[in-house]
Amino acid sequence: MTTATAQAAPNIAFIKYWGDRDASLRIPANGSISMNLDGLYTRTQVKFEPELESDRLQVNQQEIKGPGLARVISLLDWVRLRSGRNTPALVISENNFPMGAGIASSASAFAALALAASAAARLELTEHELSRLARMGSGSACRSIPGGFVEWLPGEDDLSSYAVSFAPPDHWDLVDCVAIISQEHKKTGSTEGHFLANTSPLQAARVADAPRRLEICRQAVLRRDFEALAWIIEQDCNLMHAVMLTSNPQLLYWQPGTLSVMHAMQLWRRQNLPVCYTIDAGPNVHVICERWAVNTIVSHLEAVPGVTRVLVAGPGGPARLEL
Ligand code: DP6
């Protein structure tokens, strides 16, 4: 087989990855925890073709060159090295969710690429090895290889830094309601942002406290304790944005609509709705809730000024090959 197709879901981090210990290998400064997002996916086909002059990449029917292609080539190079081949590849990738919608497409994209490329090259990799390979393309992609609720064990080198599932998707019917504030492309992407983390005097304290937050988050998920989960998710998100806001140069991802959602949520919580927010490197707000509250929350969100659209996703499965 020189062709393979794989699908992977994006994920939303409850405990965030921000800053690297080793940027070239994407060894993170701290561990992180996330939930895969069901129903959203990147589908990628990799075809090793001797007739090609060099690697080619198409995303959503558009030919990609420059840094996007270079990032894909370095992952393909690793697969070629391990499988002892030097054939160029054609990579065709599609997302079923809007790009730049506040859902990191790099996580699902590099997880699907790692799985499709290794299968097309007939490498039989374990889940840990696949997670490490996906990590080379994008840190958060290592968390989109296993299914459900996932923890990225930070490790200290390539071998020890990978993600594992600690609860399956059906363990807890949590929902991520993504309130889309803007679909504009962000000015500073995550890769650049990770480099700036250490310019904030708060990053060292954030990293030192990460094991405590990871433990609380893991236990809250295992016990399905929404109150404990909500508290730690928001604290972790606020710590990351405190680092961003105090970096040099400053990273301010929030927009007025972002704050409108955060304020509105304080009111909903007083009405006993189980909700909490988390925000990545962009203005959109991921509102996490339990399934029974989803309809109320979506209609509340749609009424907040600045919210243009709401996407809804429950816990998703692992990356998988299409047979
Ligand atoms: C804020 O994994 O997108 O979403 O490795 O450079 O691709 P690269 O960075 P990426 O960073 C994710 C940052 C985050 C938090 C998270 O998902 O943990």
Side-chain angles (χ1 to χ4, degrees), residues 91-140:
V91 178
I92 300 176
S93 190
E94 264 169 42
N95 296 319
N96 78 338
F97 55 94
M99 298 270 269
I103 299 174
S105 55
S106 67
S108 50
F110 282 98
L113 178 67
L115 185 53
S118 55
R122 289 190 213 160
L123 280 178
E124 282 181 19
L125 302 185
T126 63
E127 188 181 87
H128 291 178
E129 289 172 323
L130 275 170
S131 178
R132 285 169 43 209
L133 177 59
R135 190 203 73 230
M136 297 285 202
S138 172
S140 54

Side-chain angles (χ1 to χ4, degrees), residues 163-180:
V164 292
S165 171
F166 65 96
D170 63 2
H171 168 73
W172 192 6
D173 208 359
L174 285 180
V175 180
D176 180 5
C177 306
V178 193
I180 299 180

Side-chain angles (χ1 to χ4, degrees), residues 25-195:
L25 291 173
R26 288 188 158 85
I27 309 298
N30 61 277
S32 51
I33 285 181
S34 58
M35 177 178 100
N36 282 356
L37 299 177
D38 189 38
L40 308 177
Y41 59 83
T42 299
R43 181 173 182 269
T44 299
Q45 183 187 65
V46 174
K47 209 179 205 171
F48 286 103
E49 280 187 18
E51 306 80 50
L52 282 178
E53 272 180 25
S54 55
D55 293 323
R56 282 183 54 197
L57 170 66
Q58 279 172 24
V59 178
N60 296 336
Q61 271 129 36
Q62 277 197 334
E63 191 79 23
I64 307 288
K65 298 199 189 283
L69 175 63
R71 224 164 140 176
V72 165
I73 292 177
S74 46
L75 195 144
L76 291 171
D77 281 344
W78 191 93
V79 170
R80 280 186 281 253
L81 188 74
R82 267 241 12 209
S83 60
R85 58 178 77 216
N86 57 6
T87 323
L90 171 63
V91 178
I92 300 176
S93 190
E94 264 169 42
N95 296 319
N96 78 338
F97 55 94
M99 298 270 269
I103 299 174
S105 55
S106 67
S108 50
F110 282 98
L113 178 67
L115 185 53
S118 55
R122 289 190 213 160
L123 280 178
E124 282 181 19
L125 302 185
T126 63
E127 188 181 87
H128 291 178
E129 289 172 323
L130 275 170
S131 178
R132 285 169 43 209
L133 177 59
R135 190 203 73 230
M136 297 285 202
S138 172
S140 54
C142 77
R143 298 188 311 236
S144 283
I145 294 289
F149 299 87
V150 172
E151 179 163 0
W152 178 2
L153 310 170
E156 48 199 28
D157 53 18
D158 173 41
L159 265 178
S160 55
S161 189
Y162 54 84
V164 292
S165 171
F166 65 96
D170 63 2
H171 168 73
W172 192 6
D173 208 359
L174 285 180
V175 180
D176 180 5
C177 306
V178 193
I180 299 180
I181 308 291
S182 161
Q183 303 219 29
E184 252 177 59
H185 242 17
K186 51 198 174 198
K187 283 190 220 77
T188 313
S190 312
T191 306
E192 244 177 301
H194 292 299
F195 277 104

Side-chain angles (χ1 to χ4, degrees), residues 196-312:
L196 298 180
N198 275 330
T199 65
S200 163
L202 303 181
Q203 171 72 348
R206 183 192 153 273
V207 170
D209 180 61
R212 180 192 67 91
R213 300 192 303 280
L214 287 162
E215 173 66 14
I216 294 174
C217 182
R218 199 184 307 115
Q219 292 306 326
V221 170
L222 290 172
R223 296 190 187 126
R224 302 185 192 91
D225 179 346
F226 192 84
E227 217 179 302
L229 183 74
W231 165 252
I232 204 67
I233 284 183
E234 290 191 2
Q235 186 182 59
D236 186 85
C237 164
N238 293 343
L239 283 167
M240 181 180 74
H241 284 273
V243 166
M244 291 164 159
L245 285 164
T246 50
S247 291
N248 184 9
Q250 181 198 53
L251 294 175
L252 168 56
Y253 288 110
W254 300 351
Q255 286 181 10
T258 315
L259 282 162
S260 300
V261 174
M262 289 159 88
H263 278 287
M265 282 175 61
Q266 293 188 339
L267 177 72
W268 305 339
R269 252 200 293 256
R270 282 200 294 275
Q271 296 165 348
N272 289 325
L273 281 173
V275 275
C276 65
Y277 65 78
T278 186
I279 305 160
D280 283 338
N284 305 320
V285 188
H286 293 253
V287 177
I288 312 295
C289 66
E290 292 190 285
R291 174 73 67 181
W292 62 264
V294 75
N295 290 342
T296 314
I297 288 169
V298 169
S299 59
H300 279 5
L301 278 172
E302 283 170 346
V304 175
V307 174
T308 57
R309 200 176 153 191
V310 182
L311 292 179
V312 171

